[in-house]
Amino acid sequence: MTIFIAGNGYACFAVEMKGHAEGFKAFFAPSLAIISTTDLVDKPVKVPEKRIIAGDAAACCSTHLIDGDGSFNATGLDKFMKEVKLNECGLSYAVVSIMGPQSSGIDTYFQDDAYVFGTGKSTLLNHLFHTNFREMDAFKGRSQTTKGIWMARCAGIEPCTIVMDLEGTDGRERGEDDTAFEKQSALFALAVSDIVLINMWCHDIGREHAANKPLLKTVFQVMMRLFSPRRTTLIFVIRDKTRTPLENLEPVLREDIQKIWDSVPKPEAHKETPLSTFFNIQVVALSSFEEKEEQFKEQVANLRQRFYHSIAPGGLAGDRQGVVPASGFSFSAEQIWKVIKENRDLDLPAHKVMVATVRCEEIANEKYAAFVANKDWCELEETVKAELVPDFGKRLSAMLQTCFSGYDDETTFFEEGVRTCKRKQMEEKLLQHVQPAYHSTLNHIKHETLEKFNKAFESALSEGQGFAVAARNCKTSIMKLFDHQSEGAIIKQAEWDTSKTREKCSNDIDAHIDDVRNTKLTDLSTLYESKLKEALYGPVEALLQATNDDTWPAIRKLYKRETQTAVTECSAALSGYEMKEDCKKEFLSKLENHARDIVEHKAKEEAGRVLSLMKERFVSIFNHDSDQMPRVWTGKEDIRAITKTARASSLQLLSVLAAIRLDGDADKIADILVLTLLDPTKVAVKSSTTNDPLASSTWEKIPAARTLITPVQCKSLWSQFQRETEYTVTQAISSQEANKRSSNWLPPPWAIAALFVLGFNEFITLLRNPLYLVLIFVSYLLLKALWVQLDVGAQFQNGVLTGILSISTKFLPTILNLMKKLSEQGDRPIEPQDRPHSS
């Protein structure tokens, strides 16, 4: 077997029969290399002369519209229109055409013990529209099948759809430089058709000539000048799709088409006209018929469904413009072809341009592949991913320069315009390939810069530098280091700007500075807030619990003094941050508000337990005298006055805690409470003419935000306070009465006089018998000892009955205890120091 590898990348197959051996020969034009092998097949193969495609000839009505010489078949077109009844369709018809390189797709399959080969455009049309266009017989060699332009009706598709099969581009039958007809036919198809299928091989994507780029460029230029926009739909059919996803192929095609459109010189009327005004671009892909026959058929069937109702809104040609009625199609098509034939702007480029295009592209691809596989580049690329390479830009620039110099040496004798264009494309492709490594280097520089800044900034702050000065100095020095390192990453062949990375690095540094500043300011705020709490919380609590007329003035004085001290110290600490004046005021204002919140919070806390504080205040004053000594209710104390004084003090506590008075505004809360609660008789006298001052939920001249205890709550608390302190007053009164009773245990004077008169005889008896006096004295001593031991006076303070019961319980144990002590005294020997001294 002999294989010829062609420069333009196209191939066809032929079969030679030698007995039972089969040989294959591949033909390419022009040939560049020859590879010889041995015969590979021993089995005889049946070769049919033509592949039969299903299609109804009568329904298709195939007609040769334009022959190979460019003659328009007006008679045949009129006959075709009558056979398919096109004149009756009005505007309800569509025209579809297909263009592409000659034999641009080769479908091969095995059927009935024979290899059957089908070729590109015609094969696709026959499968897609069930037409019967002639196909290339691959066994007879690669040859031109479609000559000129053929047309037929699509079988089974509504509305009436006419399909045109164009002669393949770059066919060898017309010669190297005679491609005027293919451009004329392509322009005719674009001008007449609503939908144009552009047939191409998957591996041709990105190639200048095989992908019809020169053809499209010329057609676009002429069409803008000769014809008005009609929104033709271009469907690029990618044949023999490889593993590359369509999502990756489609953007390449669209970008190439847009570039062609942008590069085309435009008349003044269409200087700013976008591509979408003339064309609607779509891309589909079909699998290889040879390797994936079932998948190919399924994809073609799906594509066929899209041609049903193609002119309906949302269809393939739903937005077409300037539609010619069906009855005028014949005349319109003939006139368009006439205009195209007479136009001279379709001259072909010189043959050397074509050769330069192909060869320069091949050399560029070789240089690109060699660079990608270069060992030094691969090592550099891997190293850059992990760490910073200091001389990255220098090393990479040298590699790129070697690659570009090699291209220049090998393309010296080719056409200069093409050579320059391909070199530029290669540069763009190579720079795009190395750009990720360049960005990795910049990212390494940025991360290293940030780390160095963090360390330098932290060190500067620890040394006591002002925050703003440290941040400014560190950032300036670090950004100079970034600029120096960025210069080492610059690639000479690229005009890449490091400003975005530099800006990102600067923004990251600013963000870090802001984070540190916020943290420092938060710590500073927390420090002074804690100082304020320590300075205010306890003292305010003590002042509120020891209420008097100067409680709130003292709290205000304390609040202003401590707040001013904290604000002054904090303001001095903020000077190193170089804050804006309004920001500084806002920060200090928050500190002042925090101090106020501490006082208000403590006042609310004390107001929440005001009843308990009032009872403690009442008990303390009621049960202790002015010297804070416990009261003994001997009967001389004025309990009523003491009770009124204690209640007045408790009421004063209630009035102090009724509202927050940090602003120093005068109020009448104390007067109202005294008048209403402490002297209710006065209020009762006026009740007939005035309302209850406490029957309200607000105080006069006191905002609700500064009210701690409402008037109604004060009245309720006072009632509860009186109930809970009434027992203490009652106990005091009882103790006083008991004390009075215990102090009156002697008989009245008249009884004493009676006893003296009636006991005169007994007195004389005592005088005559002194022994009775001794017994009486001893009895007195015993009774006195019992009186002291039993504490008779204290026992009777709680009542007579209670005292008798208590004394009766303790009497016998006390007698026994006295006898025991007397016995111990009698048994104790006389110590030397107790004996009388001798004279």
Side-chain angles (χ1 to χ4, degrees):
M1 183 175 79
T2 304
I3 301 178
F4 294 82
I5 301 178
N8 60 5
Y10 298 124
C12 61
F13 296 88
V15 179
E16 296 178 355
M17 304 298 298
K18 297 180 180 179
H20 293 287
E22 179 182 11
F24 290 83
K25 181 178 294 184
F27 295 87
F28 296 79
S31 61
L32 296 178
I34 300 177
I35 302 174
S36 297
T37 66
T38 58
D39 293 339
L40 301 176
V41 183
D42 294 328
K43 179 180 177 180
V45 179
K46 174 183 178 183
V47 183
E49 291 185 0
K50 182 178 180 181
R51 177 182 174 187
I52 304 300
I53 299 296
D56 187 353
C60 295
C61 304
S62 298
T63 301
H64 202 179
L65 180 63
I66 300 174
D67 61 18
D69 298 328
S71 300
F72 189 89
N73 187 6
T75 303
L77 178 58
D78 292 337
K79 181 180 179 182
F80 171 82
M81 293 180 63
K82 292 179 181 178
E83 290 177 351
V84 301
K85 300 180 180 179
L86 185 61
N87 292 328
E88 302 173 4
C89 294
L91 300 178
S92 183
Y93 74 102
V95 180
V96 181
S97 60
I98 186 168
M99 58 186 289
Q102 178 177 302
S103 306
S104 54
I106 299 180
D107 301 325
T108 310
Y109 63 97
F110 191 81
Q111 175 178 309
D112 298 332
D113 295 330
Y115 283 100
V116 180
F117 292 78
T119 60
K121 303 188 308 300
S122 301
T123 303
L124 177 60
L125 291 180
N126 291 340
H127 276 285
L128 186 59
F129 299 114
H130 298 173
T131 54
N132 59 351
F133 291 119
R134 180 189 174 193
E135 300 174 20
M136 183 190 78
D137 189 348
F139 291 97
K140 295 182 179 180
R142 178 181 178 88
S143 61
Q144 189 178 36
T145 56
T146 305
K147 296 182 179 180
I149 300 176
W150 285 75
M151 67 185 305
R153 176 176 179 173
C154 303
I157 293 181
E158 293 296 334
C160 180
T161 301
I162 307 302
V163 61
M164 294 190 301
D165 186 10
L166 276 65
E167 178 178 326
T169 61
D170 43 82
R172 61 187 177 86
E173 286 80 358
R174 289 190 177 271
E176 290 184 336
D177 295 334
D178 190 11
T179 58
F181 181 84
E182 69 185 42
K183 293 186 178 181
Q184 291 172 345
S185 60
L187 182 58
F188 176 78
L190 290 172
V192 173
S193 305
D194 301 306
I195 303 168
V196 178
L197 300 174
I198 300 179
N199 197 43
M200 61 187 304
W201 276 14
C202 182
H203 59 70
D204 283 343
I205 295 176
R207 298 177 54 195
E208 288 291 328
H209 196 58
N212 296 285
K213 290 184 180 178
L215 175 62
L216 285 177
K217 184 174 183 179
T218 304
V219 168
F220 283 172
Q221 180 178 354
V222 178
M223 189 171 182
M224 278 188 293
R225 192 175 73 245
L226 300 183
F227 305 101
S228 59
R230 63 188 312 273
R231 289 284 293 177
T232 304
T233 299
L234 300 182
I235 303 179
F236 286 81
V237 182
I238 302 174
R239 303 290 297 277
D240 292 358
K241 189 178 94 58
T242 60
R243 294 182 180 180
T244 304
L246 181 60
E247 293 80 5
N248 295 344
L249 296 173
E250 182 174 349
V252 177
L253 268 177
R254 290 184 178 274
E255 183 180 2
D256 290 346
I257 296 169
Q258 186 64 46
K259 287 181 179 179
I260 293 174
W261 180 264
D262 295 339
S263 65
V264 167
K266 302 177 181 66
E268 288 297 326
H270 296 295
K271 280 289 185 182
E272 303 297 330
T273 303
L275 174 65
S276 58
T277 302
F278 280 85
F279 303 103
N280 177 23
I281 307 298
Q282 297 192 24
V283 181
V284 297
L286 300 178
S287 301
S288 171
F289 185 91
E290 177 183 3
E291 297 176 0
K292 300 177 181 179
E293 179 179 354
E294 295 301 325
Q295 187 174 350
F296 172 84
K297 291 180 179 180
E298 180 181 355
Q299 291 169 348
V300 170
N302 292 335
L303 180 58
R304 176 181 171 85
Q305 292 296 322
R306 298 177 63 183
F307 286 87
Y308 285 90
H309 308 292
S310 59
I311 62 174
L316 289 176
D319 55 351
R320 61 180 183 169
Q321 303 171 8
V323 183
V324 177
S327 59
F329 176 79
S330 176
F331 177 78
S332 173
E334 185 174 3
Q335 292 301 313
I336 289 175
W337 180 249
K338 182 178 179 180
V339 171
I340 291 174
K341 284 286 290 182
E342 294 176 354
N343 191 275
R344 294 185 177 183
D345 288 337
L346 297 176
D347 293 338
L348 289 173
H351 175 69
K352 63 178 181 179
V353 174
M354 290 186 178
V355 175
T357 300
V358 174
R359 188 59 187 141
C360 289
E361 183 175 356
E362 290 178 350
I363 295 173
N365 291 336
E366 291 173 1
K367 295 303 176 183
Y368 175 81
F371 178 87
V372 171
N374 183 277
K375 182 180 179 181
D376 293 338
W377 158 245
C378 293
E379 291 178 354
L380 180 62
E381 185 179 26
E382 289 299 320
T383 304
V384 166
K385 292 179 181 178
E387 61 185 19
L388 175 63
V389 179
D391 56 347
F392 172 81
K394 182 178 180 181
R395 293 171 59 182
L396 184 55
S397 297
M399 296 179 192
L400 290 173
Q401 185 59 40
T402 302
C403 181
F404 296 152
S405 299
Y407 173 87
D408 293 337
D409 293 341
E410 295 187 32
T411 59
T412 302
F413 301 104
F414 289 102
E415 203 274 333
E416 182 178 0
V418 176
R419 181 183 64 197
T420 303
C421 178
K422 295 301 177 182
R423 189 185 196 277
K424 184 177 180 180
Q425 293 176 3
M426 182 184 68
E427 289 179 359
E428 293 176 354
K429 192 175 181 181
L430 275 174
L431 292 177
Q432 186 177 3
H433 180 73
V434 302
Q435 194 171 32
Y438 172 75
H439 288 313
S440 296
T441 300
L442 291 182
N443 287 332
H444 287 311
I445 295 174
K446 185 187 72 172
H447 292 316
E448 185 175 304
T449 302
L450 291 176
E451 290 178 0
K452 291 181 178 179
F453 172 81
N454 294 342
K455 293 179 180 178
F457 188 44
E458 183 178 354
S459 176
L461 292 178
S462 62
E463 292 174 359
Q465 292 187 24
F467 185 91
V469 174
R472 185 165 52 250
N473 294 341
C474 290
K475 181 178 179 180
T476 301
S477 61
I478 290 298
M479 290 309 297
K480 289 181 179 178
L481 177 61
F482 175 87
D483 295 337
H484 176 70
Q485 290 182 321
S486 297
E487 290 178 359
I490 294 176
I491 301 173
K492 296 180 180 179
Q493 293 80 4
E495 297 179 356
W496 291 334
D497 188 7
T498 61
S499 60
K500 290 185 178 180
T501 306
R502 190 183 193 279
E503 182 180 0
K504 180 66 168 57
C505 182
S506 177
N507 292 338
D508 290 345
I509 291 176
D510 291 339
H512 179 72
I513 293 174
D514 291 340
D515 290 341
V516 176
R517 178 188 290 108
N518 293 335
T519 302
K520 294 287 185 182
L521 292 177
T522 300
D523 294 341
L524 192 65
S525 176
T526 302
L527 173 63
Y528 283 98
E529 285 176 359
S530 62
K531 286 185 176 181
L532 280 173
K533 185 174 182 180
E534 183 179 356
L536 293 175
Y537 201 81
V540 169
E541 180 180 6
L543 289 172
L544 288 175
Q545 291 181 359
T547 52
N548 51 50
D549 293 338
D550 295 329
T551 296
W552 278 109
I555 292 176
R556 286 195 295 273
K557 183 177 180 180
L558 173 68
Y559 162 73
K560 291 180 180 179
R561 183 181 69 248
E562 297 298 335
T563 302
Q564 184 62 36
T565 300
V567 167
T568 302
E569 294 178 358
C570 185
S571 178
L574 291 175
S575 60
Y577 291 88
E578 297 182 2
M579 299 174 64
K580 294 181 179 179
E581 193 62 30
D582 54 346
C583 295
K584 185 176 180 179
K585 288 182 179 179
E586 182 181 358
F587 187 91
L588 297 177
S589 176
K590 288 181 179 179
L591 189 62
E592 294 176 353
N593 292 336
H594 180 75
R596 188 182 187 93
D597 290 342
I598 291 175
V599 177
E600 292 182 353
H601 175 74
K602 191 57 190 175
K604 291 177 182 178
E605 183 180 324
E606 295 300 312
R609 58 191 190 99
V610 64
L611 182 60
S612 175
L613 295 175
M614 290 170 65
K615 291 190 294 183
E616 291 178 4
R617 170 68 64 85
F618 177 84
V619 172
S620 176
I621 296 176
F622 188 79
N623 289 331
H624 296 81
D625 58 15
S626 59
D627 296 328
Q628 294 300 311
M629 296 299 293
R631 292 183 188 277
V632 179
W633 304 105
T634 61
K636 299 179 181 180
E637 298 80 14
D638 187 354
I639 294 180
R640 180 179 296 276
I642 294 173
T643 301
K644 187 173 183 179
T645 301
R647 286 182 175 174
S649 180
S650 299
L651 188 62
Q652 186 183 40
L653 175 64
L654 179 62
S655 67
V656 169
L657 293 176
I660 298 173
R661 300 174 177 86
L662 276 179
D663 297 328
D665 297 334
D667 59 74
K668 299 180 179 180
I669 295 178
D671 296 339
I672 294 174
L673 291 179
V674 171
L675 180 65
T676 308
L677 301 178
L678 200 60
D679 298 323
T681 55
K682 296 181 181 180
V683 178
V685 173
K686 299 180 181 180
S687 61
S688 59
T689 58
T690 59
N691 296 327
D692 185 359
L694 299 182
S696 173
S697 59
T698 58
W699 296 106
E700 184 180 358
K701 297 181 181 180
I702 300 294
R706 292 193 285 121
T707 300
L708 300 178
I709 306 173
T710 64
V712 175
Q713 291 174 337
C714 286
K715 187 174 183 179
S716 176
L717 286 170
W718 185 255
S719 299
Q720 186 176 354
F721 165 76
Q722 286 183 316
R723 290 194 302 270
E724 295 183 6
T725 57
E726 186 177 353
Y727 178 76
T728 303
V729 178
T730 304
Q731 288 293 320
I733 294 173
S734 300
S735 297
Q736 193 179 56
E737 291 177 353
N739 196 6
K740 287 179 180 181
R741 287 193 296 270
S742 65
S743 63
N744 295 330
W745 61 275
L746 293 175
W750 62 266
I752 296 174
L755 287 175
F756 181 78
V757 173
L758 295 176
F760 181 77
N761 296 332
E762 288 76 7
F763 179 72
I764 296 298
T765 303
L766 290 175
L767 292 176
R768 293 177 177 175
N769 298 289
L771 183 59
Y772 288 153
L773 291 175
V774 174
L775 292 175
I776 291 173
F777 181 72
V778 171
S779 299
Y780 170 75
L781 293 177
L782 291 174
L783 291 174
K784 184 65 176 178
L786 286 173
W787 183 275
V788 174
Q789 290 293 326
L790 293 175
D791 194 11
V792 176
Q795 297 298 330
F796 281 96
Q797 284 184 356
N798 296 326
V800 177
L801 181 60
T802 304
I804 294 173
L805 291 175
S806 178
I807 292 174
S808 62
T809 304
K810 299 178 180 180
F811 183 77
L812 185 58
T814 304
I815 293 294
L816 294 176
N817 187 31
L818 287 174
M819 293 178 65
K820 184 177 179 181
K821 288 183 178 182
L822 289 174
S823 175
E824 291 176 353
Q825 289 291 333
D827 293 340
R828 190 179 68 173
I830 299 176
E831 297 295 333
Q833 62 271 22
D834 297 332
R835 296 175 182 176
H837 296 282
S838 60
S839 58

